[in-house]
Amino acid sequence: MNVKRVFNLGMALMMLITSFAVSQPVAAQAPAMVKPNIQADAEAVPGEVVVVFADSQDMNLVEKIEQAVETANTADGEVTRLSMDGSAVIQVEGDVAAATAELSGQPDVLYAEPNYIFSVPENEGDPNEVATSEFVLQPVAPNAGTDGQSVMAVPSSTIQEMVAMGTYPTDKYLNGNPGWFAMGADIVWPNKTASANICVIDTGVDSKHPDLAGKIVAGYDFVDADLIPSDANGHGTHVAGIMVALSNNALGISGVSTGKAVAVRALDAQGVGTAFDVATAIKYCADRTDIRVINLSVGGTADSASIRDALLYAVTPTTQTVSTGTFLGLKGRGKLVVAAAGNGSGTTPTYPAGYSVNPLFTAGSILSVGSTGQFIVDDDPNTTILEGYNDYGCLAQSSNRNADTITQWVNVVAPGEKIYSTTPYDIPFYKNLYEYTNTRYDYMSGTSMAAAFVSASAARRMGYKPTETNVQVGNAVMDTGDPLTDVSCNPSQHLNTILKVNVASLMDRTAVRVSVWDAHAGTPLNGAAVGVYFTMAGVTSSRVSTISPQTTKGAATGDIDPNRVFSYYQPATDILDIPVRDAAGNAITNHVIKVSRSGYTVGYQPIFQQERLDELYMHPGTLNVF
């Protein structure tokens, strides 16, 4: 054994032990700003080659190290990283292409490739915004009452009044995230069905953020090779908040999912990582039994074989073996993968999202997510209520999209523009220092945010339909919601068959807004209890809400008398989480709206409706009570 081999063997052993000593926790440290060590605009890390070995699955640790070192020596290279899955990073000098070809020809090597660079999509910072929105756009079923429109603008004041009544969560900045409403999260938020967990492969997550308390599971940090995947960038914490931020805790925002996010760090403080780390992270997430969804708000231009193989292992059903590549013959893990399509306004596929149309992958196993949201200014003086708002029925101008209607590598869209979510809580991070992103909470825009909405929606579907496979859930995500049909903001986008994700549809839930008036006095019928009654599996159930005023103390308004109580009476209330299908998938068609008010009715009484409940999907209906 020559001197160089002895040195390399020791280095490889040290790197492997450092990377995989997961049974020994290390002390927490605050994330530190680091100098860029990878150029995000480069295709691959200079001088690095990823080598995947063909027959190392049954080798012990020492044998794997020896195999990697001997292979590196053939190209005068050194092993700098080694995984237990049969791959290594080899540092070479000189021509990387020539070294890659040399290493590919070795007898134990399945393939070799440059260590490609992947990163968070560009243009995802949105600094100096304010967490307010004058209107919240909510989806509606087009009918005569909505003038054929599929969306309506609800004043934020109306939503805030219903927050005070307990209809919506108490989260302080709820109205700062209209995307949450646009994809139906408001309809299902009271539903307590447990969601599947999501593996967030990103820049890490600040698990100490109060709005993420108890919602983050520490996975692994493949950048620093430790057990603390903290966030030195800010991107991963923002993505995680969209998914799992605590609801109804009077703080910040409300996440979509009731499950947890498993934080896995594969990108550094600048939001940049390598194919080796991303592929290893995918394999790690795939092997965890507490995870069903893998979120990849990360992208690059290279078709990396190591990432492709890891994804194939992750999405192959647990009843089947992997058909090709690194994990040939191993049982699949049956995960659903959700990937951001990127923010280049182009039609060329980025990866890993581009694998959604690769024939190796079953349709529905990888969801490639585009972003919606265009700032609309309506100059019509008769519709000033909508002047200046983000229309999440429109494809975001920055979002990548399909080139035609045949090869649709972007297969679902979700809100992505001006999404308000969590950021690292009063600790230094890259986006705060260099992109002026606020601590605690701030806006970001892009397909990363859209992917987070899709992952959370899929996780909720898995909780609601736990026996469905990854492909069944993926197809359900693609088959629900409304199409992008507005040609005024989506001209020639080839997205006519692509649907906007809607978590309420995935959970077979709807909602109705009901107004109750005193028909003689013409005033809101304060104290009226309004219920939607239905029979499911022979059992009568209901969802009930009450018409009640919003009250504010003078101290909150600066009134001269801090104890004075102000009341605002409104006629409307929203009734949420109404099931439209039973457990067997049969449509429920027996919904009846009833109202009860002491002095007006004897118990709950059916009220005349001009429209069916299933046509009222978040549409304001008026019920006159005599």
Side-chain angles (χ1 to χ4, degrees), residues 423-620:
T423 56
Y425 201 85
D426 294 350
I427 56 177
F429 60 100
Y430 185 88
K431 284 184 175 292
N432 174 251
L433 182 60
Y434 294 106
E435 299 178 15
Y436 307 105
T437 302
N438 289 316
T439 59
R440 301 190 179 190
Y441 300 92
D442 209 341
Y443 285 95
M444 291 187 192
S445 296
T447 56
S448 288
M449 290 68 245
F453 276 123
V454 171
S455 289
S457 300
R460 293 216 71 164
R461 172 75 175 194
M462 288 171 170
Y464 169 55
K465 296 281 189 181
T467 61
E468 288 188 341
T469 66
N470 59 337
V471 170
Q472 288 174 319
V473 172
N475 284 319
V477 170
M478 292 189 292
D479 291 343
T480 53
D482 298 318
L484 292 172
T485 56
D486 188 343
V487 295
S488 66
C489 63
N490 294 307
S492 304
Q493 299 299 345
H494 305 295
L495 292 166
N496 53 307
T497 62
I498 305 301
L499 302 183
K500 299 175 290 184
V501 70
N502 189 287
V503 66
S505 295
L506 287 168
M507 295 186 70
D508 294 324
R509 297 296 192 270
T510 190
V512 61
R513 175 164 295 140
V514 179
S515 296
V516 183
W517 304 79
D518 182 315
H520 294 291
T523 57
L525 192 58
N526 183 41
V530 186
V532 175
Y533 287 77
F534 52 91
T535 301
M536 185 168 60
V539 178
T540 299
S541 301
S542 64
R543 300 288 188 270
V544 179
S545 189
T546 302
I547 305 290
S548 58
Q550 176 188 1
T551 60
T552 306
K553 271 198 170 185
T557 62
D559 188 75
I560 191 171
D561 181 359
N563 294 315
R564 186 186 311 202
V565 176
F566 297 88
S567 296
Y568 174 76
Y569 294 87
Q570 63 168 359
T573 186
D574 287 355
I575 304 174
L576 310 176
D577 194 34
I578 304 169
V580 295
R581 292 186 181 275
D582 61 21
N586 301 311
I588 301 172
T589 59
N590 54 22
H591 298 93
V592 176
I593 296 181
K594 297 181 181 182
V595 66
S596 176
R597 171 65 160 85
S598 176
Y600 283 77
T601 65
V602 179
Y604 281 93
Q605 300 297 318
I607 301 303
F608 173 73
Q609 296 172 237
Q610 294 184 355
E611 295 180 276
R612 287 169 49 87
L613 178 65
D614 56 6
E615 295 173 340
L616 292 176
Y617 186 70
M618 289 309 295
H619 167 62

